[in-house]
Amino acid sequence: MGRSRQSFLNQDISPDSSVKSRDWDTTSRWSEQSNPEIVSPSTSSNWKHTHSSTPPGNRNFQKARHMQWVFQLVDVAEGLMAKMYKLNQKLDYPEPNTFQFSDSFWKAGVIPNFPKLCMHITKKFPEHPGKLQLERVDKLGLDSLYENVEAYLENLEPWLMLLLDLMTFREQALRLILDLSSTVITLLPHQNSLILHAFMDLFCAFVRVNLFSDKVPRKMIVQVYNLMHTMLRSGRDYEFYHRLVQFIDSYDPPLKGLHEDLNFVSPRIGEVLEAVGPIIFLAADTQKLRNEGFLSPFHPRYPDILTNSAHPMRAQDLANVNGHRDWVLLGYLVCPSELLRITGIDIAMVLLKENLVLSLYRDECILLHEEYQLYVLPKILESKKMAKAGRAKQKEADAEYNIAKQVEKMICDVHDQAISCAEGIHRERRILLKQEIGRMVLFFSDQPSLLAPNIQMVFSALALARSEVMWYFRHIGVVSVKSKATRIVPVEIDSSDPTIGFLLDGMDKLCCLVRKYVSAIRGYALAYLASAAERIRFLLGSPGMIALDIDAELRNLFQQVIGCLEKSPKPQGEHVSTATADLSDFRKNWLSVLMVVTSSRSSINIRHLEKATISTGKEGLVSEGNAAYVWSRSVDELEDQLSTHACVKQLYYYRQHLTVVFRNTMFGPEGRPQHCCAWLGVASSFPDNATVSVPEEFLKIGRDAVSYVESLIESIMGGLEGLINILDSESGFGSLESKLLPEQAAIRMNHAAKVAMPSSKSMKSNSDLPLPGNESEPANRDTIKMLEAAVQRLTSLCSVLNEMEPICILNHVFVLREYLRDCVLNNFRRRLITILKIDRDLQRPSVLESLVHRHMNIVHLVEQHVSMDLTQGMREVLLSEAFSGPIRGLHTFEKPVQNTGTAISIICDWYLENVVKDVNGAGILFTPIDKCFKSARPVGGYFAEAVTDLSELKAFVRLFGPYGVDKLDGMIREHLTALLNCIDTTLRSNKEYLEALSAHMHNSRERDYYLKQVHELEPLINFSIQAGQALCFTSLLAEAAGQVLDANTPLLFSLLSDFTKHLPASLPEREDIRRLKTLTNTLGVTTEHDIALVNSILLDMVGVGDVTWGLLPYLYATCMTSNIWNTSAFNVSTGGFNNNVHCLARCINAVIAASEFVRAERKELERQLLSQQQSNRNGTELKELEAELQNLEGITSVEVNIKASMKIFIKCASTIILQSWSDSNRSPLVAKLIFLDQLCELSNYLPRSTLEVHVPYAILRSIYQQYFENSVPTLVLISPSRRHSLGIPLSHVPSRNGQFYSDHTVESGEGATSSTLKFAAQRKSPLLDLESSSDADIKPIGGGVRLSGPLDYTGMRKVSFLDTPSSDGTSGPSPLRRFVMSRSGPITYK
C-alpha cells in the first residue's frame, strides 16, 4: 500500500525539487518573440531580414514589424499543429468529447494509467480536482499516483507546455488580427493582395490551430497535471492552472470561442470573402474555363494569338484559388453572420456543394457540413428570429429575414447535394485539367519561348491540379451522415480513376519544363523588372505624386525600392546566377511601403497614390509595385513557387490509398504506364512534411517514403513483366507464329486433299484453320490491336523508366534503369524455368528454343528504348542456367559455390530418368536407322523420338552450349560408372566358372555344365543393355554438339578435329592429351566415342585390367544362353531389336576394347616404374629410345589383343549358339545370328570374315532376304549391275579360290547400319505408324505369305519358327544392298 495522501501533503518540498514548469514563464517567452526590440528572422521567404537602417522607435518601423509577426505566427501555428498531431498519434487518436479512449491511449505513457480517476476529473471539468473526493472513485489508483507522481508529472509536463503555447498563441494571434483588421484601410484582392494574403493566412492558421486543439484531451491534461502538482506542492495549484481552465472552457467547443473572439473582425472577413467571390465562381465554372481559355496558352477562339493576354490577372488569381477556398469555408464557419450578405449564400453554396471535409492539418480533417449544421445554422436561426421580430418595423429586417431563410435552407439541403454531386463535379474538373495540362505541355515543349510570359498560367494549372489531387485522396473513405436521415452514407470515390495519373504526370512535366527553361524565365522576369523600375520612377515624378505631401520616410522607402530594382542584374545571356539575383530586399521594402500606405493612421494612403498616378494613362503606382513583386519571385524564388503550387507532399499521409489507386489505374484500360515516374516522384517530397519541432519525424517519414517507392517499383516491375509475358504468350506473338508453322500448312494441305476427293462425305471445312494474315482483316483486328497496345505500353514504359532521373530519399537512391534490367532478366530466368516443362513434363528442346527466341525478340524490342545491353544480360542468364560446374577436360578450377544450373539440371534429370533409365517403363528403344530413341507409349506428353531426335538435341546444344552438354554427359557418365561397377562385380563373382568355361569350351558336356553355373546372367544383360543405351544417347549428344560446333564455329571445330587426328599415340597418355581427348569426345569431334568414354571411366576404377577382366569375352558369350533371346525380334524398320538387345552389342564392343586399353596402359606404367628404378645416367638416351619403341609396340599389341578378345567372343558365342540348337532345344537362332552380324558391323576390331568362319554368309543373307521380303511385299528386286555392286564391301565378296577379302575399314556404329540400309530407307512407307508397328512387331504373320526360313523345316515348323520375328505389313527399310542383289535360297542342313 502506498503512502497516504495526508502524509504526502504534509511533506516539506524544498525549492530544489520544483519542476521545470515553475520556472517556465510562457508569457515572457511569447512576449520575447513579439518584442519589437528583439530581431528574429522569419522563416517566410517573403520576409527574411528586418530593416537595419530604420530606427527602432520609428512609427513606420512598427508598421513594418507587423508583417514579420504575421509570418512568424503562421510558422508558430505550423509547429503547434505538428506537436498536436504527434500527441494524437501517440494517444491513438482519442475522442475527448465522447470520452472514447483505447487501450493504447492509456499505455502511451502520457496520461497516468488510471482510467476511472482521470475520466472522472475530466467529466467534472472545470471543477477543481481537490473538491471531487477522488478516494471514493479509485482509492488504489490515487495511492499509486502518489507513489509515482514525479515520473507521471515529468511525462505530462511537455504536453502541458503545449497547452500554454496554444493559450499564448491565441492571445498574440488574436491581438495581431484585430490590429491589422482595424488599421489596414483596404483588404481587397485587386488593391492590396499581398497584405490580404498574409492577413488571411494568419486568420486561417488561427482558426485551424483552435479547431485542431479540440482533438487533444485538453481537459484531462490540465486536470491531471494540476492534481499531481497539488500532490507535489502541498496543495498549491499550478500557477497557470486557472488561466488554462478559462481558456479551455471558453474554447469548448472551439467554434464557440472563435465566434466570440472573431466577432469584431467579422465584417472585414465578409468583405474579403465577397471580394474573392468572382474568383471562386470562375474556378468552379468548368465550362467557362474551357471556353474562355483561362488555362490555354493560346486563345480558344483565335488560335493565331499564341499568348493568352486576355486574362493575365485572372491567371494569377487562379493560382491562389486554393487559399481562397479555405478562406471562404473557414471564414463563414467562424463568422456565420457574413453569410447574410447578398452574395455570401452563393459563394458558400458553390464550395459546400463540392466539399465534404475541411482539412485542418496533414490528414486531420473535420466533416464540413456537420460543423456548419452544428455551429453555423444556430447562428443563422438566431439572426432569422431577430429579423422576424423586427420585420414589421424595418424593411432591412425583412430582407435579412429572407436571406436568413435562404441560408437555412441552403445549409440543410447542400449536404445531400454534396454527397451525390461532389464526385461528379470534381471528375469533370479533373478531365478538364487533364486535357488543358496535356495541351500546355505539348505547346510549351514546342514553343519554350512563350513559357516565361505565361508562367502565372502554369502556376494556375499546377495549383488547380494539386487541389483536385488532394481533394480526391482526402475524400476517399469519407463517411457522412445525411441531413434528412440517420443512416451513414459513404462517399463514392472511384479508386480506379485514371485522371489522377494524368494530373500527376502533367504536373511533373510542367515542373520539368519550368526547371529546364529557368534561365529564360529569370531573364524575362529581370527584363520586366528593369522596365518596371523605369515606370515606377516615372510615376514618382508625375505631377500627381509631386502634389502629394509625402513624408521623408515614405519617400526614402520608394527610393530604396527603385534602387533595388535598378541594382538587379541585367539579362545579358541565358544564365542568370541566383546568388547575384537576390531581390529579397526589394520585396521587404515594398511590403514596408504597403504597410505604411494601407494604414489608417498614415497621411498618405493607397487611395491617394492610385488617384495621383492613374491619370498618367498607365497602371497605378501600387499596381506596378505589386506586379513587380510577383515577377521578382520568378527570379530568385521560382523553386519556392513551384513547391507552393505543385507540392503534393501531403500525399504521404494517404500513401496507402495512393498505392491502391496506382495499382488500379497504372495498367488499366485508360491508364498510361509512362505515368509511373510521376507516381514515384511524389515520394521525393514526403520528407518535406517533417517539422523542426518534431525532429524524430524526419527518419520515420523517410523510411515510409522508401517503403512506398519500393512497393510502387514492385508494382511497376510486375506490370512490366505482365506486358512482356502478354506478348510472349500463345495469345500474343505465339498466335501469329503458330499460323506460320509448317504443321499448319501440312494440315491445310491434308484437308484440301480430302475435300477434293469425290468419295469424301461431310468433310469438315477448313474455315477453322485461318490463313496467315487473316488476323489483319477488319473483323479480326482485335488481337492485333491488343498486341499493338501492349507493345506501345511496353515501349513507352521502358522509355520513361530509362530517362527518369534517380529518386533520392534520405540516403537511398533508386535508379529505375537498374530495376528495369533486373526485372527483365529475372523474368527471363523465371520464364525459362517455367517453359521447361508442360504439365510436369519436359518441353521439346526445339519448341523451347523457339520460345526463348521469341522472348529474346521481345527483349530486343525493349532494348531499343533503353540505354542498356539487355542481350548480354540474357546471355549471362542462359550461362548461369547452363553452368553447373567446370567442363571436364577444359577447366581446372573448382566449382564455385553458386546456385546456378537450375534449368540444365531439370532437363538433364528428365533425360536421364525417362530416356536413359526409362524409369516409367515406356518401352524406350534405340533405332539405329533413325538415330533416335522411340517408345511404345508417350513419355509424358511426347513419344521418345520427339525429344531424342538429332534436331532436338542440336536445339538443346544451341540453348545450353558446352556447359549443358558436359552436364548431361557427366550425369550419364555417373550412370555408366555404376553399371560398369555392376558388370565388374558380376565378372568377379563368376571368375571361377569362367576360367573353367574357357578351359572346357570344346567339351560340350563340361561347357554346358559351367554355363549353367554362371549366375546373375539376366542382371548382367540388363546392366549391359542399359550401358549400351547410355552409350547410344551420349553418341547422339556428341554428334549434335559436333554439328552445332561445326556450324557456328567451323574454325574451332576443324582445329580440334585436325589436332585430334595428329595427336601422338602413347601409352600411358599424358594428362593434357587425355583432357583434350575427353573434351573432343564430349563435343563429338572423335570417331571412337564409345570406347573413349568407357576407357575414361575404367581408368578411374580399381582392378580393371587385371587377369579377371581377361575373362570378359567368355562372360558375354554366356549371354547367348539367356532367356532374353526368346522375346527378341528384329525389326527391319528400326534396324534393331524390339527389346534393345542391339545396345548389348554396343556395350560389348566398347567395354572389351576399353578394358584392353586400360590393361595395356597399366602394364606400361608398371614397366616404366621398373625401368626408371633400373636406369642410370649413362643409359638415359638409350632408355628413352627403347621406351618410344616399346610404346609403339604396345599400341599395336593393344589392337591385336582387342581383335583377339573379340574373336574369342565370336568363337565362343557362335559355338554356344549353334551347338545349343537342336530339335528339342529350338533357341531363337535367328535373333542371335543377327546380333552377331550387327556386332561385326559395329566394331572396327571385328571384321565380318571372323563371323564367316563360324556362321556361313549364305545363312545371314537368307535371313535378311526373308525379313525384307515380308516387310516390303511390293518390293521389286533389281538385277545386279556394276553400278549397284559398287557399294559391296570387299570383305564379303568371295575370290576365285573361295577365300574372302579382308577389309579393315568397315564403318562402325549407326553410320554403318545406316549406310548399309540406305535402300531400305528409300522404300519406307510414309504411312508408317510407330505405335502400330511397335505393337505388331511380336505378332504372328497372317496367311498368304511364303514363310521360307533359313533351315529346311516342314510347313508347321516354318510357321512356328516365324512366330517370333516382327512383320507388321508395313514397308520398312530395305535389306542390305549385298543381300538384295542375291536371290539364292536358304541353305539346307541335314
Side-chain angles (χ1 to χ4, degrees):
M1 181 66 65
R3 294 176 293 175
S4 64
R5 181 166 64 105
Q6 187 64 31
S7 62
F8 199 102
L9 291 174
N10 294 334
Q11 184 179 1
D12 184 19
I13 305 298
S14 63
D16 296 336
S17 63
S18 62
V19 295
K20 184 171 60 175
S21 63
R22 181 176 181 179
D23 299 325
W24 186 278
D25 190 354
T26 310
T27 306
S28 63
R29 178 163 59 90
W30 277 90
S31 299
E32 211 171 72
Q33 294 185 8
S34 302
N35 190 353
E37 302 295 333
I38 304 298
V39 177
S40 60
S42 172
T43 58
S44 173
S45 59
N46 298 331
W47 192 275
K48 296 184 179 179
H49 305 284
T50 56
H51 199 284
S52 58
S53 63
T54 306
N58 191 282
R59 179 167 50 89
N60 290 335
F61 176 77
Q62 296 294 335
K63 296 175 183 177
R65 283 299 298 269
H66 277 79
M67 292 304 297
Q68 182 183 0
W69 298 339
V70 168
F71 299 136
Q72 185 176 2
L73 285 177
V74 171
D75 294 337
V76 169
E78 183 81 12
L80 290 175
M81 287 190 287
K83 289 184 177 180
M84 287 189 287
Y85 187 86
K86 176 187 176 183
L87 179 61
N88 258 5
Q89 281 186 320
K90 200 170 185 179
L91 297 180
D92 193 23
Y93 303 98
E95 295 290 340
N97 298 326
T98 58
F99 298 98
Q100 295 179 2
F101 305 105
S102 63
D103 293 337
S104 302
F105 175 87
W106 301 106
K107 296 177 182 179
V110 176
I111 307 295
N113 192 4
F114 307 110
K116 292 183 180 180
L117 193 64
C118 296
M119 292 180 67
H120 181 72
I121 61 177
T122 303
K123 291 178 181 179
K124 296 297 182 179
F125 181 87
E127 194 171 350
H128 196 281
K131 303 177 182 180
L132 297 180
Q133 298 181 351
L134 299 178
E135 295 89 345
R136 297 183 179 181
V137 178
D138 188 3
K139 190 174 187 308
L140 294 178
L142 191 62
D143 293 338
S144 179
L145 186 63
Y146 286 147
E147 290 182 354
N148 303 289
V149 65
E150 293 184 2
Y152 290 137
L153 197 67
E154 183 178 358
N155 293 336
L156 192 57
E157 186 177 3
W159 308 113
L160 184 80
M161 296 299 105
L162 176 61
L163 297 183
L164 284 175
D165 290 344
L166 288 173
M167 181 179 66
T168 310
F169 171 78
R170 175 244 181 181
E171 297 170 356
Q172 299 290 338
L174 187 59
R175 184 183 304 142
L176 187 57
I177 289 173
L178 295 175
D179 190 13
L180 290 174
S181 175
S182 61
T183 58
V184 178
I185 62 174
T186 177
L187 286 173
L188 298 181
H190 62 279
Q191 294 180 350
N192 194 14
S193 61
L194 299 178
I195 305 298
L196 170 63
H197 280 82
F199 173 77
M200 292 304 296
D201 287 345
L202 177 60
F203 172 80
C204 293
F206 176 73
V207 175
R208 280 193 170 98
V209 167
N210 287 282
L211 289 177
F212 194 16
S213 65
D214 193 39
K215 297 178 179 292
V216 176
R218 298 170 296 169
K219 300 177 184 178
M220 185 177 294
I221 292 175
V222 170
Q223 292 287 76
V224 173
Y225 186 87
N226 192 64
L227 174 63
M228 294 189 294
H229 190 276
T230 56
M231 293 179 184
L232 200 61
R233 300 290 183 171
S234 302
R236 290 193 302 245
D237 289 333
Y238 177 58
E239 53 186 325
F240 296 108
Y241 170 69
H242 296 286
R243 288 186 60 191
L244 286 172
V245 169
Q246 183 181 4
F247 164 65
I248 295 172
D249 186 56
S250 64
Y251 273 77
D252 184 26
L255 282 173
K256 169 190 170 184
L258 289 171
H259 286 166
E260 295 176 359
D261 289 343
L262 298 176
N263 186 41
F264 294 102
V265 299
S266 180
R268 299 304 300 270
I269 299 298
E271 292 176 3
V272 171
L273 302 184
E274 194 173 18
V276 299
I279 305 173
I280 299 296
F281 294 143
L282 174 63
D285 193 346
T286 304
Q287 195 69 22
K288 186 175 182 180
L289 287 174
R290 178 184 287 111
N291 294 339
E292 295 296 329
F294 284 93
L295 297 176
S296 297
F298 49 87
H299 201 283
R301 292 192 297 271
Y302 307 101
D304 296 338
I305 304 176
L306 293 180
T307 56
N308 187 3
S309 58
H311 314 290
M313 296 306 296
R314 283 298 176 90
Q316 182 179 343
D317 293 336
L318 287 174
N320 300 317
V321 71
N322 296 330
H324 295 166
R325 289 168 178 165
D326 291 341
W327 298 355
V328 171
L329 294 176
L330 291 173
Y332 287 134
L333 182 61
V334 298
C335 303
S337 61
E338 301 308 312
L339 279 170
L340 301 177
R341 290 175 178 263
I342 296 177
T343 59
I345 182 173
D346 297 327
I347 298 173
M349 185 175 181
V350 167
L351 294 180
L352 289 175
K353 189 167 62 174
E354 57 185 48
N355 291 281
L356 287 163
V357 297
L358 178 61
S359 175
L360 295 180
Y361 182 71
R362 294 179 177 175
D363 59 336
E364 291 289 345
C365 302
I366 59 173
L367 295 175
L368 186 62
H369 294 272
E370 281 77 352
E371 298 293 326
Y372 266 78
Q373 290 173 4
L374 288 175
Y375 301 106
V376 176
L377 188 58
K379 294 288 185 180
I380 300 300
L381 294 176
E382 184 179 348
S383 298
K384 175 184 173 184
K385 184 177 179 182
M386 294 176 61
K388 185 178 181 181
R391 186 170 54 169
K393 300 179 181 179
Q394 300 177 1
K395 294 183 179 180
E396 293 82 0
D398 185 60
E400 184 179 352
Y401 173 80
N402 292 331
I403 294 176
K405 191 175 181 180
Q406 294 176 14
V407 172
E408 177 191 3
K409 184 176 185 303
M410 183 269 294
I411 294 176
C412 294
D413 296 342
V414 75
H415 187 194
D416 296 339
Q417 296 178 18
I419 293 177
S420 59
C421 302
E423 167 61 11
I425 294 173
H426 284 274
R427 185 186 301 112
E428 183 181 359
R429 196 172 299 163
R430 290 195 297 270
I431 293 174
L432 168 68
L433 290 171
K434 163 193 167 184
Q435 297 170 351
E436 296 295 339
I437 291 178
R439 296 192 191 104
M440 198 177 291
V441 169
L442 293 177
F443 180 81
F444 288 132
S445 299
D446 185 58
Q447 301 287 337
S449 60
L450 299 178
L451 178 61
N454 293 280
I455 190 64
Q456 296 300 325
M457 183 186 301
V458 174
F459 291 154
S460 301
L462 291 174
L464 291 174
R466 173 183 175 274
S467 174
E468 291 305 315
V469 171
M470 295 308 304
W471 184 95
Y472 179 86
F473 286 102
R474 282 174 182 154
H475 283 75
I476 289 183
V478 171
V479 178
S480 183
V481 180
K482 278 198 171 183
S483 58
K484 298 181 181 179
T486 57
R487 63 190 181 95
I488 297 176
V489 179
V491 181
E492 296 182 0
I493 302 293
D494 185 10
S495 62
S496 59
D497 189 354
T499 58
I500 301 299
F502 281 96
L503 292 183
L504 290 175
D505 182 64
M507 292 169 63
D508 183 64
K509 289 181 178 178
L510 280 180
C511 291
C512 290
L513 282 175
V514 172
R515 294 187 178 100
K516 182 178 180 181
Y517 299 107
V518 63
S519 298
I521 297 172
R522 286 174 181 163
Y524 184 89
L526 287 173
Y528 181 89
L529 293 177
S531 62
E534 297 178 359
R535 290 193 297 270
I536 292 175
R537 182 176 291 280
F538 170 76
L539 292 174
L540 288 175
S542 62
M545 287 296 296
I546 295 174
L548 289 178
D549 187 14
I550 301 177
D551 57 5
E553 296 177 4
L554 183 58
R555 189 176 299 277
N556 185 27
L557 285 175
F558 278 121
Q559 293 300 326
Q560 291 179 11
V561 167
I562 295 176
C564 292
L565 289 178
E566 291 178 344
K567 290 178 183 178
S568 61
K570 300 300 182 287
Q572 298 177 353
E574 295 184 358
H575 301 286
V576 179
S577 175
T578 56
T580 61
D582 186 5
L583 298 175
S584 59
D585 290 338
F586 160 72
R587 289 189 293 272
K588 176 193 61 179
N589 292 329
W590 182 250
L591 285 176
S592 300
V593 169
L594 289 179
M595 286 300 298
V596 172
V597 300
T598 56
S599 174
S600 60
R601 302 184 182 94
S602 176
S603 59
I604 303 297
N605 58 40
I606 190 172
R607 296 188 181 93
H608 298 151
L609 295 178
E610 287 296 305
K611 288 181 181 179
T613 57
I614 199 65
S615 60
T616 60
K618 300 180 181 180
E619 293 289 340
L621 180 62
V622 177
S623 300
E624 285 286 353
N626 288 338
Y629 184 97
V630 172
W631 278 106
S632 70
R633 299 197 63 195
S634 298
V635 176
D636 58 345
E637 291 186 354
L638 191 60
E639 195 64 37
D640 294 338
Q641 287 184 294
L642 282 179
S643 63
T644 300
H645 298 299
C647 182
V648 286
K649 63 180 182 180
Q650 290 187 0
L651 288 179
Y652 162 75
Y653 303 99
Y654 305 96
R655 59 189 180 279
Q656 293 182 352
H657 298 306
L658 199 66
T659 306
V660 172
V661 175
F662 168 78
R663 291 174 178 170
N664 289 342
T665 60
M666 179 68 178
F667 297 97
E670 298 182 15
R672 296 294 185 273
Q674 58 267 30
H675 294 168
C676 64
C677 294
W679 292 87
L680 288 169
V682 169
S684 300
S685 63
F686 285 173
D688 296 339
N689 288 287
T691 57
V692 181
S693 57
V694 187
E696 60 271 15
E697 276 187 342
F698 186 74
L699 290 178
K700 180 182 181 300
I701 293 176
R703 288 193 297 267
D704 293 339
V706 170
S707 176
Y708 165 80
V709 172
E710 289 175 347
S711 65
L712 252 64
I713 289 177
E714 182 180 356
S715 300
I716 292 170
M717 297 309 152
L720 178 65
E721 291 180 6
L723 290 174
I724 294 175
N725 293 337
I726 286 174
L727 296 177
D728 193 28
S729 64
E730 294 304 321
S731 60
F733 287 161
S735 62
L736 303 180
E737 292 178 355
S738 63
K739 295 171 183 172
L740 303 177
L741 293 176
E743 290 82 352
Q744 293 289 332
I747 293 174
R748 290 196 63 87
M749 291 176 65
N750 290 336
H751 274 266
K754 292 179 181 179
V755 171
M757 294 174 61
S759 59
S760 60
K761 297 181 180 179
S762 65
M763 292 296 296
K764 293 182 179 179
S765 65
N766 51 6
S767 59
D768 56 340
L769 297 172
L771 290 170
N774 179 66
E775 67 279 353
S776 300
E777 296 179 2
N780 303 322
R781 282 191 56 84
D782 292 340
T783 304
I784 298 300
K785 289 180 180 178
M786 184 271 293
L787 292 178
E788 290 175 350
V791 170
Q792 182 179 4
R793 290 194 174 196
L794 177 64
T795 54
S796 60
L797 176 61
C798 294
S799 299
V800 170
L801 293 179
N802 178 66
E803 297 171 0
M804 184 177 182
E805 294 295 327
I807 302 173
C808 301
I809 301 175
L810 299 182
N811 56 345
H812 293 74
V813 179
F814 298 91
V815 183
L816 272 298
R817 286 190 297 272
E818 299 300 327
Y819 281 93
L820 184 145
R821 182 180 187 275
D822 294 341
C823 171
V824 171
L825 298 184
N826 291 333
N827 180 59
F828 174 62
R829 179 179 285 105
R830 288 190 295 269
R831 182 70 176 163
L832 179 62
I833 300 299
T834 303
I835 62 178
L836 281 178
K837 288 193 172 183
I838 308 176
D839 299 331
R840 299 181 181 179
D841 194 57
L842 185 70
Q843 179 69 273
R844 293 175 58 187
S846 59
V847 176
L848 180 62
E849 184 184 21
S850 66
L851 293 177
V852 169
H853 278 297
R854 186 173 73 191
H855 195 96
M856 293 187 72
N857 290 334
I858 298 173
V859 175
H860 290 159
L861 180 65
V862 173
E863 195 175 27
Q864 296 175 4
H865 297 81
V866 297
S867 55
M868 290 180 295
D869 188 2
L870 297 178
T871 304
Q872 180 63 27
M874 295 187 67
R875 291 171 181 168
E876 293 174 358
V877 170
L878 284 174
L879 181 61
S880 66
E881 292 300 324
F883 178 78
S884 59
I887 297 179
R888 289 184 311 275
L890 181 62
H891 299 149
T892 57
F893 59 85
E894 297 293 332
K895 178 181 179 181
V897 182
Q898 294 180 355
N899 187 17
T900 57
T902 304
I904 192 61
S905 298
I906 294 174
I907 295 179
C908 293
D909 289 340
W910 190 92
Y911 270 112
L912 184 65
E913 297 295 327
N914 294 275
V915 177
V916 179
K917 294 183 179 180
D918 191 17
V919 294
N920 295 324
I924 301 293
L925 299 176
F926 176 69
T927 57
I929 291 180
D930 298 326
K931 284 190 177 182
C932 68
F933 289 84
K934 294 187 178 181
S935 59
R937 297 189 305 277
V939 183
Y942 304 99
F943 287 96
E945 58 268 27
V947 291
T948 60
D949 186 68
L950 194 60
S951 60
E952 299 294 331
L953 294 179
K954 287 166 66 176
F956 167 81
V957 176
R958 285 191 295 268
L959 272 176
F960 298 101
Y963 286 108
V965 173
D966 184 74
K967 172 68 175 178
L968 184 54
D969 184 75
M971 295 179 67
I972 297 177
R973 282 174 61 92
E974 294 177 1
H975 178 57
L976 270 174
T977 302
L979 295 174
L980 292 176
N981 282 324
C982 295
I983 294 173
D984 179 67
T985 303
T986 305
L987 179 63
R988 297 186 185 280
S989 64
N990 291 289
K991 179 181 178 182
E992 180 181 353
Y993 305 114
L994 294 176
E995 289 176 346
L997 179 64
S998 63
H1000 301 86
M1001 180 57 68
H1002 300 288
N1003 189 337
S1004 60
R1005 181 178 299 177
E1006 295 293 332
R1007 182 181 66 244
D1008 294 341
Y1009 171 75
Y1010 289 113
L1011 283 174
K1012 294 178 181 178
Q1013 297 300 318
V1014 176
H1015 54 275
E1016 298 181 357
L1017 192 59
E1018 299 300 331
L1020 171 66
I1021 295 179
N1022 186 24
F1023 296 148
S1024 300
I1025 292 176
Q1026 290 187 40
Q1029 191 170 345
L1031 289 173
C1032 293
F1033 189 86
T1034 55
S1035 177
L1036 286 178
L1037 181 63
E1039 183 180 354
Q1043 292 183 10
V1044 172
L1045 187 64
D1046 189 19
N1048 293 277
T1049 56
L1051 183 61
L1052 178 60
F1053 182 82
S1054 62
L1055 179 64
L1056 290 175
S1057 179
D1058 295 342
F1059 189 70
T1060 304
K1061 294 176 182 178
H1062 298 88
L1063 278 177
S1066 62
L1067 282 177
E1069 292 179 338
R1070 292 191 336 222
E1071 182 63 26
D1072 53 350
I1073 295 178
R1074 180 173 298 171
R1075 285 173 49 203
L1076 182 59
K1077 284 187 174 181
T1078 302
L1079 176 64
T1080 55
N1081 189 55
T1082 304
L1083 297 179
V1085 179
T1086 59
T1087 54
E1088 294 289 344
H1089 174 271
D1090 296 350
I1091 298 176
L1093 177 59
V1094 176
N1095 181 34
S1096 63
I1097 296 174
L1098 294 181
L1099 283 173
D1100 297 331
M1101 294 174 57
V1102 180
V1104 177
D1106 57 4
V1107 180
T1108 306
W1109 275 76
L1111 301 173
L1112 192 61
Y1114 297 98
L1115 178 64
Y1116 277 120
T1118 60
C1119 294
M1120 299 298 107
T1121 63
S1122 171
N1123 295 327
I1124 195 172
W1125 302 102
N1126 296 330
T1127 58
S1128 299
F1130 182 72
N1131 191 342
V1132 294
S1133 62
T1134 62
F1137 292 89
N1138 63 336
N1139 54 1
N1140 256 350
V1141 175
H1142 51 281
C1143 292
L1144 176 62
R1146 194 153 192 159
C1147 176
I1148 292 173
N1149 173 58
V1151 173
I1152 291 179
S1155 63
E1156 292 297 333
F1157 274 108
V1158 172
R1159 179 162 56 180
E1161 183 171 345
R1162 291 183 175 174
K1163 284 184 178 181
E1164 181 63 21
L1165 286 174
E1166 293 177 0
R1167 189 197 64 77
Q1168 289 181 4
L1169 182 62
L1170 293 175
S1171 176
Q1172 185 178 3
Q1173 293 175 355
Q1174 297 175 1
S1175 63
N1176 50 41
R1177 295 180 179 178
N1178 298 330
T1180 301
E1181 296 181 359
L1182 181 61
K1183 293 293 183 181
E1184 291 179 356
L1185 183 59
E1186 292 178 356
E1188 185 177 355
L1189 294 174
Q1190 290 177 1
N1191 187 21
L1192 295 176
E1193 295 176 357
I1195 296 174
T1196 305
S1197 64
V1198 170
E1199 295 179 355
V1200 173
N1201 292 338
I1202 294 174
K1203 293 179 180 179
S1205 298
M1206 297 297 292
K1207 187 175 181 179
I1208 291 174
F1209 168 74
I1210 290 294
K1211 178 181 177 181
C1212 297
S1214 302
T1215 303
I1216 294 172
I1217 292 171
L1218 296 177
Q1219 294 190 8
S1220 62
W1221 181 86
S1222 62
D1223 290 340
S1224 59
N1225 183 19
R1226 297 175 181 176
S1227 63
L1229 177 64
V1230 175
K1232 295 178 182 179
L1233 294 180
I1234 293 177
F1235 171 80
L1236 294 180
D1237 181 67
Q1238 284 191 337
L1239 180 60
C1240 294
E1241 289 282 343
L1242 183 68
S1243 177
N1244 287 340
Y1245 303 98
L1246 188 61
R1248 191 175 296 276
S1249 58
T1250 306
L1251 180 61
E1252 189 76 15
V1253 174
H1254 307 283
V1255 179
Y1257 179 75
I1259 296 179
L1260 297 174
R1261 182 180 58 191
S1262 176
I1263 292 173
Y1264 281 115
Q1265 181 178 357
Q1266 178 181 338
Y1267 267 103
F1268 286 104
E1269 285 180 352
N1270 293 334
S1271 298
V1272 190
T1274 60
L1275 182 65
V1276 178
L1277 297 179
I1278 303 175
S1279 301
S1281 65
R1282 180 176 300 272
R1283 184 176 61 180
H1284 287 123
S1285 60
L1286 290 177
I1288 303 177
L1290 295 177
S1291 59
H1292 306 293
V1293 179
S1295 61
R1296 294 181 180 179
N1297 55 4
Q1299 299 295 327
F1300 283 81
Y1301 290 100
S1302 177
D1303 183 8
H1304 295 288
T1305 61
V1306 181
E1307 294 180 343
S1308 63
E1310 294 88 346
T1313 308
S1314 176
S1315 62
T1316 54
L1317 298 179
K1318 182 176 181 180
F1319 180 74
Q1322 296 175 355
R1323 297 286 300 175
K1324 189 172 182 180
S1325 172
L1327 301 178
L1328 180 61
D1329 191 333
L1330 175 61
E1331 294 181 350
S1332 61
S1333 63
S1334 60
D1335 293 336
D1337 283 345
I1338 58 175
K1339 294 181 180 179
I1341 301 175
V1345 181
R1346 181 179 179 274
L1347 301 176
S1348 61
L1351 305 179
D1352 189 11
Y1353 292 126
T1354 61
M1356 181 63 68
R1357 289 181 178 178
K1358 289 178 182 178
V1359 175
S1360 176
F1361 178 76
L1362 286 176
D1363 282 344
T1364 301
S1366 169
S1367 179
D1368 53 3
T1370 60
S1371 61
S1374 63
L1376 301 176
R1377 188 177 298 175
R1378 56 180 178 274
F1379 298 139
V1380 176
M1381 309 276 184
S1382 175
R1383 296 190 178 184
S1384 59
I1387 298 177
T1388 304
Y1389 285 107
K1390 295 297 182 180

